[in-house]
Amino acid sequence: MTVDIDKTAGTQDTPPAGAEAIKAIPVRHYGRYVSAVIAIALLVAIIYAFGQGRINWHAVPDYFFDDRILTGVGKTLMLTVLSMVIGIVGGIVLAVMRLSKNPVTSSVAWFYIWFFRGTPVLVQLFLWFNLGLVFEYINLMPFYKDYWSNFMTPLLTALLGLGLNEAAYMAEICRAGLLAVDEGQTEAAHALGMSHGRTLRRIVIPQAMRVIVPPTGNEVINMLKTTSLVAAVQFPELFRYAQDIGQTSGAPVEMYFLAAAWYLIMTSVLSVGQYYIERYYARGSSRQLPPTPWQKVKANMLSIGRPKGGAA
Amino acid sequence: MTEQLTKSDAPAKDTSVPMVKAEGVHKSFGAVEVLKGIDLEVKSGEVFCLIGPSGSGKSTFLRCINHLEKINAGRLYVDGELVGYRQQGDKLYELRDREVAMKRRDIGMVFQRFNLFPHMTALENVIEAPVQVKGAAKAQAKERAMQLLERVGLADRAGHYPSQLSGGQQQRVAIARALAMDPKLMLFDEPTSALDPELVGDVLDVMRDLAESGMTMVVVTHEMGFAREVGDSLVFMDDGVVVESGNPRDVLTNPQHERTQSFLSKVL
């Protein structure tokens, strides 16, 4: 909002160029001032309301670096990373299966995506947890044999539930990426004598990454938040620990704010990482790589008309 | 350049086996028959030009030569060997992908739309196949790639990505990329059709140089000047059949067939 106002102020004092500079009274955007005032007033009102509420804000910094909270943060991150690894690997396999010429494999992949995309993750988590009703034992003949309930620990439930669900979404993202690569690329690689596998690995996937990375970043951030659901299958992570502390310390709502703050911090860090990964895969797609935030800051501070960029 | 010259001088079998031989080649896309029985022979070391109106099947035929398209009937031989099949007795066996890839190593192809790999620099484009497919050492592949880029006049652009090169430069890199595999046959699919007119000359110069070095080339083109000057044989195709063939100078200046005449009157 304020940025808008700044811009209109900036255009008034453009230096006169060429012949006779036009002097005119600029259009007054009264609406902008009004909406800015309303927005700021609303914001102040909300902050005031929270400040006045019966919330003990001091509890938040008190527990912010509590051991249990830090453990929870660690477990949340671990769950996110492992589930995404399962999701991405599974997604690539499913995408290749869906694009394969074999009608059976492509139908199987279609069915998988249909099922896992069509049911809520929370329901899937409960299903995995209680699959003991169907399979009493798990029996990998020579290696391992146990009751399903012993085998299916909360961690495994959480990983399978989140990872397999994610694979369905990643499959669609990967498929879109693979399809986005020009057919001529495959032909050129084949004409050079490259095999199907090598063409996929060296030529198609690196180009598909440009299309795949931005939505995958979204998925990672989504996953980080979705991990809070696994509290339901008895796996403790950030949200569960925060709840626990809330119950024992008598500050339950405060702990939700604390958890929210930690989730925000983690998603913000991930967004920065995503920016740099996108930048890496933009190689060769545009003539000039987009500047990093730091380069932008430097350029703005120096803002002497030197050619921008220059980073290799 | 010199290296290419000695290479083409070396094989003694030149005249005995044609580099490409087509016998009644048919190709259909669904119900549409694109090639209706093509018979022709490309001799080793010659520049063979294919001309004709768009949709006449000349590009399709070119793509059949390195098995990017499967033919439906007839026989197609490259250097005496069947394309895409193996014959044992009177039975034909389809080749595996790996075997097809193996044969494609010897056939370079240059596309209308260049099809350089956009995520690699010019140099990386050129060394990709030698390193990945032939298992060449990277240092040697680089050295050879620089020679090739030098040859097409782009040594100073080795570090550039395709998006930083003009169309003509991209096409010359694409030619260098194909040459890096030391092919015995080069296929050109309208290599100058996507270029601005003032960039066409550079690409044709490279091709002319290549022809002089004795490379066997099959060129689908609309550049009649190039066909006349550089071509050793020329075929005019229309509607999936060979209408007229012969020496480019004869066919272009004195076409016998009515369809050739009407096509040339529009193009020249």
Side-chain angles (χ1 to χ4, degrees):
Chain A
M1 192 58 67
T2 48
V3 175
D4 262 356
I5 294 166
D6 280 352
K7 264 189 198 158
T8 48
T11 50
Q12 285 170 351
D13 48 23
T14 19
E20 204 173 322
I22 293 177
K23 280 180 194 150
I25 294 149
V27 178
R28 304 280 176 203
H29 297 282
Y30 297 109
R32 290 183 190 172
Y33 294 102
V34 174
S35 53
V37 168
I38 292 175
I40 291 171
L42 276 175
L43 207 65
V44 169
I46 291 171
I47 292 172
Y48 179 77
F50 271 84
Q52 288 297 298
R54 282 173 293 133
I55 292 174
N56 176 18
W57 291 109
H58 292 294
V60 176
D62 284 352
Y63 285 100
F64 207 75
F65 295 108
D66 189 283
D67 280 348
R68 285 166 291 176
I69 293 294
L70 293 183
T71 316
V73 168
K75 289 195 169 180
T76 292
L77 285 175
M78 177 203 70
L79 258 188
T80 309
V81 170
L82 291 181
S83 315
M84 278 313 293
V85 168
I86 298 176
I88 290 172
V89 171
I92 292 172
V93 171
L94 283 167
V96 172
M97 279 171 76
R98 268 214 71 178
L99 293 173
S100 92
K101 283 174 199 149
N102 184 336
V104 178
T105 43
S106 80
S107 316
V108 168
W110 180 90
F111 179 82
Y112 180 99
I113 293 167
W114 172 76
F115 179 81
F116 280 92
R117 240 175 23 158
T119 51
V121 200
L122 190 56
V123 177
Q124 286 171 30
L125 283 168
F126 280 122
L127 282 179
W128 282 110
F129 204 41
N130 296 305
L131 223 52
L133 296 177
V134 187
F135 308 104
E136 197 173 346
Y137 298 102
I138 178 150
N139 190 352
L140 303 174
M141 284 300 271
F143 307 109
Y144 185 88
K145 187 175 181 201
D146 205 345
Y147 287 106
W148 182 269
S149 52
N150 289 347
F151 166 72
M152 206 30 108
T153 59
L155 172 64
L156 200 56
T157 316
L159 281 181
L160 280 180
L162 295 176
L164 296 185
N165 180 66
E166 186 57 34
Y169 286 89
M170 284 307 302
E172 290 297 272
I173 291 172
C174 293
R175 191 170 67 100
L178 293 177
L179 288 177
V181 178
D182 182 27
E183 189 118 9
Q185 293 291 311
T186 315
E187 276 182 5
H190 283 172
L192 285 168
M194 292 172 84
S195 65
H196 281 303
R198 206 181 293 278
T199 302
L200 201 62
R201 226 174 39 248
R202 296 284 308 172
I203 307 300
V204 177
I205 288 179
Q207 293 181 57
M209 289 306 275
R210 262 190 57 226
V211 182
I212 292 173
V213 166
T216 303
N218 254 350
E219 291 295 311
V220 174
I221 286 169
N222 238 327
M223 177 60 81
L224 186 98
K225 295 182 298 173
T226 311
T227 53
S228 61
L229 287 182
V230 304
V233 289
Q234 309 306 319
F235 184 80
E237 35 62 72
L238 174 59
F239 183 61
R240 183 58 180 266
Y241 281 120
Q243 269 183 317
D244 288 351
I245 294 174
Q247 258 141 39
T248 50
S249 68
V253 185
E254 287 77 358
M255 290 306 114
Y256 293 146
F257 281 108
L258 186 152
W262 266 110
Y263 281 118
L264 262 180
I265 291 171
M266 289 190 279
T267 50
S268 308
V269 171
L270 288 178
S271 311
V272 174
Q274 181 185 357
Y275 181 86
Y276 280 93
I277 296 177
E278 275 175 36
R279 198 167 171 275
Y280 173 79
Y281 280 110
R283 264 174 327 156
S285 65
S286 50
R287 292 174 189 203
Q288 197 97 52
L289 283 177
T292 63
W294 174 236
Q295 288 169 340
K296 264 189 220 166
V297 170
K298 270 204 304 199
N300 281 341
M301 285 197 311
L302 299 174
S303 74
I304 308 160
R306 68 164 73 158
K308 56 182 174 172
Chain B
M1 179 82 173
T2 46
E3 170 191 359
Q4 212 70 28
L5 270 170
T6 48
K7 193 190 149 214
S8 63
D9 286 345
K13 56 175 180 174
D14 269 7
T15 43
S16 56
V17 182
M19 185 53 85
V20 179
K21 188 175 184 196
E23 293 172 349
V25 169
H26 285 258
K27 170 71 192 173
S28 305
F29 293 108
V32 186
E33 198 175 21
V34 183
L35 300 179
K36 303 170 179 170
I38 303 287
D39 296 285
L40 53 79
E41 254 188 53
V42 179
K43 290 193 209 78
S44 198
E46 81 172 337
V47 176
F48 191 97
C49 296
L50 280 167
I51 64 167
S54 55
S56 58
K58 51 198 193 314
S59 282
T60 305
F61 178 72
L62 195 74
R63 293 160 56 83
C64 288
I65 296 177
N66 66 352
H67 207 48
L68 284 178
E69 306 288 354
K70 260 186 207 171
I71 62 175
N72 301 117
R75 292 283 189 277
L76 190 52
Y77 301 90
V78 170
D79 207 12
E81 290 180 45
L82 264 182
V83 174
Y85 302 93
R86 178 174 20 134
Q87 191 154 18
Q88 270 172 8
D90 53 354
K91 275 193 184 142
L92 278 188
Y93 295 89
E94 224 177 300
L95 290 184
R96 297 181 168 281
D97 287 338
R98 196 173 297 260
E99 296 167 307
V100 172
M102 199 70 187
K103 296 210 167 172
R104 283 186 182 135
R105 292 182 180 192
D106 296 334
I107 307 174
M109 184 156 189
V110 175
F111 298 87
Q112 185 178 355
R113 307 260 0 142
F114 329 136
N115 293 346
L116 287 181
F117 305 133
H119 57 302
M120 300 178 183
T121 62
L123 183 68
E124 286 168 343
N125 263 281
V126 178
I127 66 169
E128 178 67 12
V131 171
Q132 291 293 322
V133 179
K134 278 190 173 168
K138 217 165 187 180
Q140 280 171 333
K142 266 188 188 162
E143 201 176 312
R144 170 102 175 96
M146 285 310 294
Q147 287 170 6
L148 288 167
L149 286 173
E150 181 87 48
R151 186 174 173 190
V152 299
L154 289 172
D156 55 332
R157 296 283 191 280
H160 286 54
Y161 285 100
S163 61
Q164 296 165 322
L165 300 173
S166 74
Q169 291 171 334
Q170 288 190 51
Q171 193 61 298
R172 285 185 278 154
V173 173
I175 294 173
R177 177 176 70 173
L179 290 177
M181 289 297 278
D182 293 319
K184 57 188 175 192
L185 168 66
M186 285 281 286
L187 309 175
F188 291 84
D189 189 1
E190 301 195 25
T192 56
S193 296
L195 298 178
D196 290 341
E198 81 267 25
L199 302 176
V200 169
D202 291 339
V203 172
L204 291 183
D205 285 345
V206 169
M207 290 171 63
R208 194 169 289 130
D209 165 58
L210 194 57
E212 280 164 13
S213 75
M215 175 65 76
T216 313
M217 296 160 66
V218 181
V219 185
V220 171
T221 188
H222 292 294
E223 296 291 330
M224 299 306 154
F226 176 84
R228 186 179 3 227
E229 282 173 48
V230 184
D232 297 306
S233 309
L234 181 137
V235 155
F236 172 74
M237 277 176 72
D238 191 16
D239 201 22
V241 294
V242 172
V243 176
E244 194 166 344
S245 62
N247 184 295
R249 283 154 289 273
D250 298 342
V251 178
L252 290 174
T253 47
N254 188 19
Q256 298 301 311
H257 203 283
E258 174 193 344
R259 273 194 282 178
T260 321
Q261 289 165 0
S262 84
F263 174 74
L264 288 176
S265 69
K266 285 177 209 151
V267 180
L268 290 177

